[in-house]
Amino acid sequence: KIRINYIGSVRDRKSLKMLMDAAKGLKDIEIGIHGMGEAYESLKELEADYDNVKITGYYDYKTETQRLFSDSDIVYCAYNIQVTNWKIAYPIKLYESIESGIPVMLCEGMAPVQLIRENDCGFVFEYNVQSLRQMLIDIREHRELLKEKRKNMRKLKGKYIWEKAVSEY
């Protein structure tokens, strides 16, 4: 199975529900949503309608983050780009993914898309269910894409660590 995980504050209901809907019924695609936040309860209520979605809720950042990333083939970093902050921000989970060597999934219009494209280390989709679903199908049918993106993500390891950023300032 291809494991696509969202790891962090569960606050963008629209984007997470879009992932759930896009993956619905796709064999070999497993979705995990890990964390708490304002959208957690409403998404958790929907979980039973999806055979391939697990919403786990709270996790201890210090002790469980490494396990959650190691159980991921792709990290979902897409946010509703109608919200200015989510459009221009570089999510922390992007940097965690770089250090973990795990490709990310972003939507068109997010600021980090340029970084992902330049380094060919993730997947970019138009912000709608149909585009995301087609991407999931393409990844499932062409697993070599995932291997190539993982290899390219590993090349970035160490480039964005805190100590390096601080020393540059």
Side-chain angles (χ1 to χ4, degrees):
K1 291 188 176 189
I2 297 172
R3 304 161 300 170
I4 302 169
N5 287 314
Y6 176 88
I7 305 165
S9 182
V10 180
R11 59 184 181 252
D12 184 4
R13 184 187 189 286
K14 182 178 180 181
S15 298
L16 293 170
K17 172 87 166 50
M18 185 169 56
L19 175 61
M20 294 164 64
D21 289 342
K24 189 168 186 166
L26 293 181
K27 296 196 183 311
D28 297 334
I29 300 287
E30 189 174 276
I31 304 300
I33 299 174
H34 310 285
M36 295 298 293
E38 60 194 49
Y40 169 77
E41 290 293 335
S42 67
L43 292 172
K44 186 68 174 173
E45 289 174 8
L46 301 174
E47 181 181 24
D49 296 336
Y50 300 84
D51 292 336
N52 58 343
V53 174
K54 292 180 185 169
I55 301 174
T56 60
Y58 174 81
Y59 68 93
D60 182 270
Y61 184 83
K62 289 181 184 177
T63 62
E64 295 182 79
T65 299
Q66 182 177 358
R67 177 187 57 79
L68 291 172
F69 274 87
S70 68
D71 288 342
S72 303
D73 296 306
I74 300 171
V75 173
Y76 188 70
C77 290
Y79 292 94
N80 182 350
I81 56 172
Q82 293 173 339
V83 177
T84 304
N85 188 52
W86 288 339
K87 182 176 183 171
I88 63 173
Y90 279 66
I92 291 173
K93 67 182 60 45
L94 169 63
Y95 298 108
E96 292 169 327
S97 297
I98 289 170
E99 288 308 303
S100 301
I102 301 167
V104 294
M105 193 173 282
L106 302 170
C107 62
E108 197 65 61
M110 290 181 68
V113 165
Q114 183 177 349
L115 170 73
I116 299 309
R117 284 202 170 117
E118 286 174 0
N119 294 283
D120 192 27
C121 59
F123 303 92
V124 179
F125 65 94
E126 293 292 329
Y127 192 74
N128 62 67
V129 173
Q130 296 80 14
S131 176
L132 179 52
R133 184 175 181 83
Q134 187 58 55
M135 183 191 320
L136 296 176
I137 291 167
D138 291 347
I139 293 168
R140 183 183 68 182
E141 292 178 1
H142 304 284
R143 292 177 189 247
E144 68 278 3
L145 290 172
L146 185 54
K147 289 179 184 176
E148 186 66 23
K149 308 280 186 195
R150 181 179 287 272
K151 184 177 97 177
N152 292 337
M153 185 61 97
R154 287 181 179 148
K155 293 176 186 175
L156 297 175
K157 186 173 176 71
K159 191 171 182 179
Y160 298 99
I161 60 173
W162 177 255
E163 292 78 10
K164 184 172 183 180
V166 169
S167 69
E168 289 178 10
Y169 288 119

